[in-house]
Amino acid sequence: MRWLILKRSKIKVYGKSGKTLPKGFQEEHTAFLHSLLTNDIKGMKPYTLNYNLWLKQNGFPIEDFFVYKLEDGYILDTEGSSAKIIAEFERLKLSLRVYFQDLSEDYKHLFVFGENSREWIEKTFGQVPQEGSLFEKDQVFVANNPIRIREEGFDIFGKIDELFGLLPENGRISEEEFEDLRIERAIPRIRKELRDGFSPLEAGLLHTAISLTKGCYVGQETIARIHYKGRLPRALALFQAQNVKEGEKIVEDGKDIGIITSVSRKGLALGYILSAKAEKGKEYRTENGLVVLVEIKS
């Protein structure tokens, strides 16, 4: 079993029932999140989770969130600043009776995954949540989240100080090791691959973070237009890399055809490349090094 402490913000979102909400909505906080985030919030059942983006009108990402639905509201898990996010949500909620509680100071976040992690969850908590679901026990939330690292893994957050003595010390990994694993598995990250100038569709998040049937949300028109247009102009790709740094342009015949967005310590990199120029196994030059395209994210 491998584990690490994640530096994540937590925001509880809750509110009042409303009589003047759009059809199908009973809670003002559900209506607020559903109209703001890219995935289906209204359809979530209590004690389930999904992954969402918060977009600008032009479809470029602002933040990303794992959303955990409770009986009386939601907990948002994000890499962003909870204070800044809450300030912007307060501005956007207008007259809706929606409230935000910053849990970041009180809630620590542990992520466990790999061989024997399920057995450790069972031994520690007496139960294992099903994929995509969570439970709460003694002010600790445990969620089975296969999205975070593309294998079964468990988010454990809340009042978790007592758990640290139960974890195998030889299973702890560093943030750098976790980042290397993220890059190896071509998982886009906010402010790396998910950034201004790039559509989340180019990052391959259509089936993970975006609903095309939920109705209107901020950036929805742009996302729909790009999707139904057909082939994407660029693709996120995994490269083998040599002497490459984050931010370097990929060049061909003197023209920029892509950019490197993340570099691991194991000779791998993530980046965007023009779809028309993407070819598995092909070697490309960057401003200072070389990359070979290993896999195209789709």
Side-chain angles (χ1 to χ4, degrees), residues 30-43:
T30 298
F32 172 75
L33 290 177
H34 192 81
S35 67
L36 189 69
L37 303 182
T38 57
N39 219 332
D40 183 10
I41 301 298
K42 183 179 69 174

Side-chain angles (χ1 to χ4, degrees), residues 48-61:
T48 62
L49 68 94
N50 66 12
Y51 178 63
N52 287 264
L53 297 170
W54 173 22
L55 304 178
K56 299 178 181 179
Q57 289 286 358
N58 61 10
F60 297 156

Side-chain angles (χ1 to χ4, degrees), residues 32 83-96 98-101:
F32 172 75
K84 291 181 180 179
I85 292 167
I86 289 173
E88 184 62 12
F89 280 5
E90 289 283 2
R91 186 184 70 83
L92 293 171
K93 74 176 187 179
L94 302 176
S95 62
L96 288 174
V98 182
Y99 311 106
F100 311 102
Q101 181 183 359

Side-chain angles (χ1 to χ4, degrees), residues 40 51 53 74 83 92 100 112 114 123 141 190 250 254 256 277 295:
D40 183 10
Y51 178 63
L53 297 170
Y74 303 85
L92 293 171
F100 311 102
V112 303
K123 179 180 178 181
F141 295 90
I190 195 72
I250 303 170
D256 297 342
K277 299 290 185 179
E295 175 188 358

Side-chain angles (χ1 to χ4, degrees), residues 189-245:
R189 182 178 179 182
I190 195 72
R191 283 172 283 281
K192 295 279 191 174
E193 291 70 43
L194 302 175
R195 58 200 275 185
D196 264 2
F198 299 91
S199 168
L201 295 177
E202 295 175 315
L205 291 181
L206 173 60
H207 302 296
T208 304
I210 296 168
S211 170
L212 294 173
T213 60
K214 63 173 277 186
C216 190
Y217 57 87
V218 177
Q220 184 266 343
E221 289 185 5
T222 302
I223 292 295
R225 184 169 62 250
I226 294 172
H227 172 68
Y228 291 114
K229 192 175 182 179
R231 190 181 185 192
L232 298 169
R234 290 165 300 200
L236 182 64
L238 176 67
F239 299 91
Q240 291 180 337
Q242 182 179 346
N243 298 325
V244 170
K245 294 182 180 179

Side-chain angles (χ1 to χ4, degrees), residues 146-165:
I147 302 170
R148 195 178 294 277
I149 202 66
R150 295 221 186 91
E151 69 172 83
E152 185 175 71
F154 298 91
D155 291 314
I156 306 167
F157 58 91
K159 309 285 188 177
I160 64 172
D161 286 344
E162 294 182 1
L163 296 178
F164 291 111

Side-chain angles (χ1 to χ4, degrees), residues 245-294:
K245 294 182 180 179
E246 184 180 315
E248 282 191 33
K249 302 290 179 61
I250 303 170
V251 294
E252 185 175 87
D253 298 329
K255 297 181 180 180
D256 297 342
I257 63 168
I259 188 171
I260 299 300
T261 54
S262 296
V263 179
S264 82
R265 303 170 303 169
K266 296 185 175 181
L268 294 173
L270 286 178
Y272 288 100
I273 187 168
L274 292 177
S275 296
K277 299 290 185 179
E279 183 180 336
K280 289 184 180 181
K282 184 175 178 178
E283 182 179 272
Y284 302 86
R285 290 195 173 275
T286 69
E287 294 170 279
N288 297 296
L290 297 171
V291 293
V292 176
L293 202 158
V294 175

